[in-house]
Amino acid sequence: MVVDSASAIKRQRFTVVDPMELESAKAKLAAAKEKFGREIRVFETATASSVPPDVSSNVSEEPEDFYEFTPEDYYQLLGTKKEEKHLKTKKIREAEEAARRARITKAVIRVRFPDNYILEATFHPSETIKSLLDLLVKVIARPELPFYIYTTPPKKQIKDFSQDFYSAGFIPGAVVYFSNDLPKGDDGAAASGSYLQEEVMSLQGLDSMIEKMEPGEPSRDESPTTKPPPSVPDQKPAADKKKIKPKWLKL
């Protein structure tokens, strides 16, 4: 017997996901959005399992020379700029910039922590980077420890928090890195546990659970009803029809 693979996958998916768990996941995400003032997600990178929990934040970072701006990078960037350069008036450039800015309605920022967990949050492009710092203070486990955020490559610490995400080039999204700003002898205390609060860590995987459930699907207890094919009226053979002689035919 041949079984439709697509329907079989759907039936298997709906038998695994519990509707009560789905509602609980939605409630947790809604509560987190209300508490922190924006949508947040938490997930783990693929390489996180290979990193021991007692590894310090400085060990997971690349050396300084890894982020050096080489002459090859300079000439490649210079060539790209020459190709994109056009002679336009200031008024035209401002109009095009305003049109591009109006099309972008959100900035998705991902903050990667030294333990390879990632916090994703959605901002408006006109919000400043300080709003990201304010969110991090609310979600990290040890906000009393000094920290900073940076981008790569090259490694550049973000210091101007008055910039909005659009002006900083963080649109439609960007990845920034988190690090505790501690002396080398005291950095082990920062990596003794998770960088995010336990409440925030509990959001991991909830969004993927919700995405697996498609709206409008039948419930598990209901079996899909199959409608019989529409009946086709019997057609008599053409030979049974009475032959009619056309008026124009003369014998």
Side-chain angles (χ1 to χ4, degrees):
M1 180 178 65
V2 179
V3 181
D4 188 1
S5 59
S7 60
I9 294 174
K10 288 183 179 180
R11 286 197 299 269
Q12 182 181 5
R13 178 173 57 190
F14 288 106
T15 55
V16 173
V17 180
D18 188 356
M20 297 297 293
E21 294 181 0
L22 179 64
E23 294 301 324
S24 176
K26 290 181 179 180
K28 282 186 177 181
L29 291 177
K33 181 179 180 180
E34 183 178 359
K35 180 177 180 180
F36 301 112
R38 62 188 71 254
E39 297 179 357
I40 60 174
R41 299 171 56 196
V42 178
F43 50 93
E44 186 180 8
T45 59
T47 57
S49 58
S50 60
V51 179
D54 57 346
V55 176
S56 63
S57 58
N58 289 337
V59 174
S60 61
E61 298 178 7
E62 300 290 347
E64 294 294 336
D65 56 354
F66 179 81
Y67 303 108
E68 289 183 357
F69 196 65
T70 62
E72 291 78 7
D73 297 333
Y74 170 76
Y75 287 113
Q76 183 178 3
L77 181 61
L78 184 62
T80 304
K81 291 296 183 182
K82 287 182 178 179
E83 293 177 0
E84 296 178 352
K85 188 177 180 181
H86 300 281
L87 295 177
K88 297 180 181 179
T89 63
K90 182 179 179 181
K91 189 174 181 180
I92 293 177
R93 291 196 302 267
E94 291 177 351
E96 291 178 349
E97 181 69 17
R100 285 194 297 266
R101 187 160 189 162
R103 287 195 297 266
I104 302 174
T105 58
K106 64 179 181 179
V108 180
I109 308 299
R110 291 183 174 183
V111 183
R112 181 165 181 170
F113 292 86
D115 57 359
N116 286 324
Y117 280 94
I118 294 179
L119 173 73
E120 180 182 285
T122 304
F123 299 84
H124 193 272
S126 62
E127 291 186 84
T128 61
I129 300 179
K130 187 179 183 301
S131 60
L132 174 60
L133 270 291
D134 295 338
L135 175 64
L136 290 176
V137 172
K138 296 178 182 179
V139 299
I140 59 178
R142 304 189 64 180
E144 72 277 3
L145 297 178
F147 67 90
Y148 64 93
I149 55 177
Y150 62 94
T151 57
T152 63
K155 183 178 180 180
K156 182 180 179 181
Q157 183 176 345
I158 301 175
K159 297 181 178 180
D160 186 4
F161 304 137
S162 62
Q163 265 192 323
D164 58 60
F165 292 106
Y166 187 90
S167 302
F170 291 171
I171 45 92
V175 178
V176 299
Y177 295 81
F178 177 96
S179 180
N180 284 111
D181 194 7
L182 297 173
K184 291 184 178 180
D186 300 336
D187 53 5
S192 58
S194 176
Y195 285 84
L196 294 171
Q197 297 177 10
E198 184 177 353
E199 178 185 0
V200 180
M201 291 291 293
S202 65
L203 303 177
Q204 181 185 358
L206 297 183
D207 57 308
S208 60
M209 179 190 302
I210 296 175
E211 290 174 357
K212 288 179 181 179
M213 296 293 291
E214 298 177 356
E217 293 288 343
S219 62
R220 295 174 298 170
D221 299 333
E222 295 179 358
S223 59
T225 56
T226 57
K227 295 182 180 180
S231 58
V232 181
D234 297 335
Q235 296 181 356
K236 295 182 179 181
D240 296 342
K241 293 182 179 180
K242 185 178 180 182
K243 295 182 180 180
I244 300 175
K245 183 175 69 174
K247 295 180 181 180
W248 54 267
L249 182 60
K250 294 182 180 180
L251 299 177

